Amino acid sequence: QGLSSVRTSAAVAAPTDVGAKRAQVAAELAAARTRLDELARTGQAAHVADDAPREGKAAMTTLRKNIAALGERKAEVRALKAQLAEARAAGDGAEQEVLARLVPA
C-alpha cells in the first residue's frame, strides 16, 4: 500500500543513431558559420558602439563567447576524429567510447 503512488513506465531508452546526430550537429555548425560570416561581412560582428543599449552589448558578448566555444568544439572534434581513426585501426572496440564523446547525447 505504501507504493501505491509509484508509477512505472514502459519507456525504453532508444539507441542513438550516431550518423544522424553527427549530420545534425554538422548542419547546425554550417548554419552558424554561415550566419557568423554574414555578420562579419556586414560589419556587425566587429564591434559594438559605445552608446549601444546594454542588451546589444550583452548580445555581442554572448556572440563572441559562442564563436570561441565553436572554435574550441571544432578543435575537440578534430582531436576526437584522430582518436577515432586510431581506435578503428587498433580494432580493440574502443571506437564506441570515442564516438560517444564525439557525438554527445
Side-chain angles (χ1 to χ4, degrees):
Q1 187 176 7
L3 295 177
S4 64
S5 65
V6 175
R7 296 180 186 257
T8 59
S9 172
V12 177
T16 301
D17 181 351
V18 175
K21 189 70 170 177
R22 185 179 298 145
Q24 175 192 354
V25 170
E28 290 173 6
L29 286 174
R33 283 188 197 114
T34 301
R35 180 69 180 129
L36 290 173
D37 289 344
E38 174 74 23
L39 289 172
R41 273 194 302 279
T42 61
Q44 296 178 27
H47 66 281
V48 177
D50 291 336
D51 62 344
R54 184 177 54 187
E55 295 82 8
K57 291 179 182 180
M60 183 56 70
T61 300
T62 300
L63 176 62
R64 287 186 179 126
K65 286 179 183 177
N66 288 343
I67 291 170
L70 177 61
E72 291 170 8
R73 178 68 175 149
K74 285 171 60 175
E76 180 185 341
V77 167
R78 278 193 299 273
L80 286 170
K81 282 183 177 181
Q83 290 176 17
L84 180 59
E86 291 172 4
R88 284 183 175 158
D92 60 5
E95 74 181 84
Q96 290 302 322
E97 177 189 334
V98 177
L99 281 173
R101 287 186 287 144
L102 184 61
V103 184

